[in-house]
Amino acid sequence: MVDVSKLINTKDGIQSRRIFHDQAIYDLEMERIFARCWLFLTHESLIPNTGDFITTKMGQDNVIVVRQQNGKVRAFVNSCSHRGARVCAAEAGNTRSFVCSYHGWAYGIDGSLQGVPLEKEVYNNQLDKFTHGLVEVALVDSFCGFIYGCFDPQAPSLREYLGEAAWYLEAWMDAPGGTELIGPPSRSMLYCNWKTPGENFIGDMYHVGWTHASSTQVLFSQSPLMALQGNASLPAPAEVMGMHFTSRGGHGAAITYGGRGGIYATARENEMLLAWLAAQTPKVAERLGEVRAKFYNSAWDGTIFPNNSFLVGPNTFKVWLPRGPGAIEALTWTWVEKDMPKELKRIIARNMNQTFGTAGMLESEDTDNMESMTQSNDGLVTRRGTLNAQMGLGREREDVVMPGVVSDAMINELSHRGFYRYYQEMLVAESWDELRANSSKWKKAHLER
Amino acid sequence: MTKHNNEREVTREVRDEIERFLFREARLIDSEQEREWLETMVDAEITYQVFSRQLRYRKDTRGSGDKEVYFFDDNYADLAHRVELCENGMQWVADPPNRLRRIVGNIEGFEGERAGEYRVYSNCMVTRNRMVYEQMSYAYGREDILRRGVDGRLKLLQRVVDFEERFVRGKNLLFIL
Ligand code: FES
Ligand SMILES: [Fe+2]
């Protein structure tokens, strides 16, 4: 086993290539990251009623997320306490119980074992039903309607876990009237390591003009993002274009000022969104202040550690479910603001699917990069090397309004460095107490030169 | 697939015409002649939809939310964008070229709701070879409406694909289905 404390050098922006390849590292990721971090499950809007449920995965564990009688949401491992078969085969729906398809044990939506066929006859009434409920996910909570779960009861609260990132996320997640996901998700297989899309979405604005040279030209003609097309020159100093942030928990984003509008195919569609944003902006400014009102009108790409990414502009919301070191399942939703007119919601969903859905023009352009940067490390000599995320080194700073560590350079790898800083810390730390102990000094790794 | 009662089969002559249409379409798409396909075979009023259905229990009628997600929900302008993308010389994902090969079968043609329109069912098997090592296959059924234009030629007015593979192992559907 490699020394995991040597995989990442945050100060110099260097990462070992083994993080995209080694099975032993992957196994440790499952244990130290996916069994301990808050992971995205679903959105309040997709399971509004008692008995509404969805099934998904946390790491490689199958879980059921279900709305209880009292309105709370709980989550359970989707595996029968008898012989381990799946108790729910559907992806979503509404139910009063989950009945195992193997021998028919029946569980309530609260996870308790309610019915055992022929209980008297075959168990002689000796089976303790009380201790045979479904295994429960320790923590479930939501932030602005987005529901996350965590297997580790020692973990900090969701709010604390999001940390400084919560302040930023509110700029779009906490839109006036709230946000919602349009379900169901698309589901597709990508042959890459789970961190490669995460680091791409966390703030890689460098690739937009190059990887997406073709589709930005065809689709984004009226967007400020068009300025990036071809990576030939930058129209304004990078300072004017946007900013980058990273946070204690490795979450981060790149924010391109004024970039939220102008990406739709027709002028009428673009005007409709811009009119909506213009009407909402004063309300956002009043509730969240001028800085976040500016963010509300911006294009974002961001990742919530470890495997949940989003865009503002093409309103995609994604989870990258790991399936071994070299494969993931990508789940993709469209997010919209609840109060938007129906037609605008449809325009946004159409655009999201055309750009970042399963037949999305930008999605497929990204996929090749994520796969080849994973697969190249199958080579022994290749993976002895390191990777470079040094862009913007030395331009990090703290700000009086914006929390975390920020940079005024929008094309930057600060958020990559933050992601991998926390990644290594999670792999190394034995406990949440150890992680908490580092919390007062995390910024040093970025700021001290 | 939509269930239609009292469907009237088209004449043998029209049946042959429909078959020639679908075979020509397959050949154009598979040989990177997307523009020719768009301009000579696609009606300006086209609706082109491919959707995936969330898996729910048969008896479950109470579950919340939409059950479908639309991979394609395109009109003519959207399809034109996809064609432009293939042509602007910067689509790295198609360079070296991808190779598509499709088999179109189980073709059935019926008189449509309006005169000069035909409801056409077909099944497709597509294999996509790309880069050195990738090979992906897709199987799906199509429900089309073809409309006869003023010039007497058939054009694609509507295509609906209820895509069955819920978890798309072939990564993406970035091709004309
Ligand atoms: S495994 Fe579930 S009832 Fe036997
Ligand atoms: Fe991208």
Side-chain angles (χ1 to χ4, degrees):
Chain A
M1 179 72 189
V2 294
D3 178 355
V4 289
S5 69
K6 300 259 153 58
L7 293 173
I8 309 294
N9 172 346
T10 303
K11 212 174 219 38
D12 300 325
I14 305 279
Q15 302 82 36
S16 163
R17 287 169 167 264
R18 307 182 78 104
I19 60 172
F20 296 149
H21 173 273
D22 288 14
Q23 182 69 42
I25 294 176
Y26 178 84
D27 292 341
L28 193 66
E29 289 170 351
M30 291 303 107
E31 185 187 321
R32 296 261 163 107
I33 295 175
F34 285 87
R36 299 201 300 191
C37 286
W38 285 90
L39 305 170
F40 179 74
L41 298 175
T42 187
H43 193 278
E44 302 273 7
S45 59
L46 296 173
I47 49 169
N49 304 315
T50 298
D52 280 356
F53 70 90
I54 62 102
T55 55
T56 184
K57 284 184 183 182
M58 295 172 66
Q60 292 198 266
D61 291 288
N62 288 297
V63 296
I64 307 171
V65 185
V66 56
R67 175 87 58 187
Q68 305 294 302
Q69 287 284 1
N70 63 5
K72 294 239 156 57
V73 174
R74 292 169 72 180
F76 304 94
V77 173
N78 187 2
S79 178
C80 184
S81 303
H82 179 219
R83 303 301 305 154
R86 169 181 69 200
V87 300
C88 182
E91 287 179 87
N94 181 281
T95 192
R96 289 195 184 86
S97 60
F98 298 103
V99 182
C100 180
S101 54
Y102 198 172
H103 313 95
W105 284 22
Y107 301 85
I109 59 172
D110 62 353
S112 62
L113 179 58
Q114 301 278 345
V116 173
L118 306 175
E119 186 181 355
K120 230 180 253 157
E121 295 86 335
V122 297
Y123 287 104
N124 225 347
N125 271 339
Q126 308 259 302
L127 181 75
D128 181 4
K129 289 209 296 250
F130 191 72
T131 56
H132 285 81
L134 297 173
V135 171
E136 182 157 9
V137 177
L139 308 170
V140 175
D141 199 358
S142 69
F143 179 76
C144 302
F146 293 81
I147 302 174
Y148 292 78
C150 178
F151 279 122
D152 186 352
Q154 307 303 321
S157 71
L158 176 59
R159 181 78 199 207
E160 196 187 325
Y161 176 83
L162 293 172
E164 302 91 345
W167 183 87
Y168 292 90
L169 293 169
E170 280 168 353
W172 65 271
M173 281 187 171
D174 198 20
T179 42
E180 63 187 10
L181 291 184
I182 299 181
S186 313
R187 315 181 72 131
S188 55
M189 181 93 156
L190 306 180
Y191 300 85
C192 64
N193 184 273
W194 64 270
K195 297 182 290 302
T196 60
E199 71 155 67
N200 173 265
F201 275 72
I202 205 167
D204 191 324
M205 293 303 292
Y206 192 33
H207 87 291
V208 175
W210 192 256
T211 294
H212 302 305
S214 174
S215 50
T216 45
Q217 188 188 55
V218 174
L219 300 173
F220 292 169
S221 58
Q222 305 180 51
S223 157
L225 296 170
M226 183 64 188
L228 304 173
Q229 202 273 338
N231 269 10
S233 62
L234 289 177
E239 283 82 354
V240 186
M241 294 192 71
M243 61 87 67
H244 243 243
F245 79 86
T246 187
S247 61
R248 168 70 189 112
H251 328 294
I255 301 178
T256 308
Y257 299 147
R260 182 160 171 186
I263 57 164
Y264 302 144
T266 66
R268 200 186 71 81
E269 289 174 331
N270 285 320
E271 279 155 22
M272 205 166 163
L273 178 73
L274 291 173
W276 171 263
L277 296 177
Q280 303 305 307
T281 300
K283 294 183 237 173
V284 178
E286 196 187 323
R287 288 172 59 228
L288 303 175
E290 289 299 334
V291 173
R292 286 189 285 177
K294 179 158 81 168
F295 292 168
Y296 174 76
N297 284 281
S298 299
W300 298 47
D301 48 328
T303 294
I304 298 170
F305 190 89
N307 65 332
N308 176 203
S309 297
F310 61 89
L311 299 174
V312 178
N315 286 10
T316 193
F317 195 82
K318 290 187 178 266
V319 170
W320 321 107
L321 298 176
R323 295 168 71 93
I328 62 167
E329 175 176 358
L331 295 187
T332 307
W333 296 259
T334 304
W335 70 266
V336 292
E337 294 178 26
K338 268 186 202 150
D339 290 348
M340 282 174 166
K342 221 172 166 189
E343 195 193 349
L344 184 56
K345 289 184 184 177
R346 182 165 182 224
I347 290 168
I348 292 172
R350 252 167 47 84
N351 169 269
M352 197 296 293
N353 283 301
Q354 283 172 1
T355 50
F356 287 95
T358 300
M361 293 176 252
L362 284 86
E363 173 83 356
S364 60
E365 294 171 340
D366 285 321
T367 303
D368 265 14
N369 298 326
M370 295 162 188
E371 293 188 341
S372 65
M373 63 191 275
T374 300
Q375 292 162 5
S376 60
N377 300 305
D378 288 350
L380 173 78
V381 175
T382 307
R383 74 172 170 271
R384 281 183 186 148
T386 56
L387 299 163
N388 177 312
Q390 299 180 326
M391 195 184 300
L393 263 182
R395 300 189 67 179
E396 304 88 342
R397 65 178 182 87
E398 290 182 271
D399 187 84
V400 285
V401 178
M402 301 180 285
V405 173
V406 304
S407 176
D408 305 303
M410 187 267 288
I411 301 184
N412 198 332
E413 286 164 348
L414 165 63
S415 50
H416 290 60
R417 294 191 288 278
F419 180 91
Y420 287 115
R421 164 186 43 78
Y422 196 63
Y423 166 80
Q424 170 152 286
E425 222 181 302
M426 286 296 304
L427 290 187
V428 171
E430 305 265 350
S431 69
W432 276 103
D433 283 340
E434 219 175 290
L435 287 155
R436 283 191 190 97
N438 293 339
S439 288
S440 55
K441 49 182 192 251
W442 73 272
K443 289 181 180 174
K444 279 191 186 159
H446 294 287
L447 295 171
E448 265 180 15
R449 292 254 68 81
Chain B
M1 186 168 286
T2 324
K3 290 201 175 72
H4 293 272
N5 297 321
N6 306 321
E7 288 191 314
R8 277 190 304 130
E9 270 192 64
V10 295
T11 62
R12 175 149 206 157
E13 211 172 56
V14 173
R15 169 75 175 65
D16 283 353
E17 195 185 358
I18 288 170
E19 191 178 279
R20 281 198 304 275
F21 180 94
L22 294 179
F23 290 169
R24 175 164 184 262
E25 181 189 33
R27 177 167 48 81
L28 291 182
I29 296 167
D30 288 356
S31 56
E32 294 197 318
Q33 300 181 71
E34 296 93 350
R35 168 125 343 246
E36 175 78 6
W37 168 75
L38 184 74
E39 288 175 359
T40 66
M41 307 194 78
V42 178
D43 193 293
E45 289 172 25
I46 186 163
T47 345
Y48 182 100
Q49 296 178 316
V50 181
F51 67 89
S52 170
R53 222 186 260 273
Q54 189 171 46
L55 302 182
R56 300 196 183 188
Y57 287 123
R58 287 174 191 273
K59 282 189 188 146
D60 186 350
T61 52
R62 300 189 307 159
S64 300
D66 296 344
K67 294 182 188 66
E68 292 93 27
V69 51
Y70 282 80
F71 296 152
F72 290 78
D73 185 9
D74 283 15
N75 56 31
Y76 192 90
D78 298 322
L79 290 173
H81 278 144
R82 293 185 191 272
V83 171
E84 264 178 71
L85 216 58
C86 308
E87 290 173 335
N88 68 10
M90 293 182 290
Q91 203 183 29
W92 322 136
V93 292
D95 200 9
N98 296 341
R99 302 296 305 272
L100 289 171
R101 180 74 61 192
R102 73 188 64 201
I103 313 288
V104 181
N106 299 54
I107 300 166
E108 293 180 278
F110 301 92
E111 296 291 339
E113 268 111 66
R114 280 176 294 249
E117 287 185 9
Y118 307 105
R119 182 170 290 281
V120 176
Y121 302 107
S122 58
N123 288 350
C124 280
M125 275 288 306
V126 179
T127 297
R128 174 168 58 170
N129 282 289
R130 66 184 300 274
M131 303 305 168
V132 177
Y133 298 108
E134 286 182 35
Q135 182 172 72
M136 293 157 274
S137 306
Y138 312 86
Y140 49 88
R142 304 186 299 193
E143 195 175 321
D144 296 343
I145 296 175
L146 302 187
R147 174 157 81 179
R148 196 175 295 287
V150 279
D151 60 355
R153 294 173 67 171
L154 293 179
K155 287 201 166 175
L156 183 63
L157 178 64
Q158 185 183 307
R159 170 158 294 161
V160 179
V161 177
D162 177 350
F163 199 77
E164 289 134 10
E165 189 188 16
R166 180 63 184 120
F167 173 47
V168 180
R169 272 158 215 280
K171 308 202 290 190
N172 65 60
L173 300 178
L174 199 68
F175 58 87
I176 308 292
L177 278 85

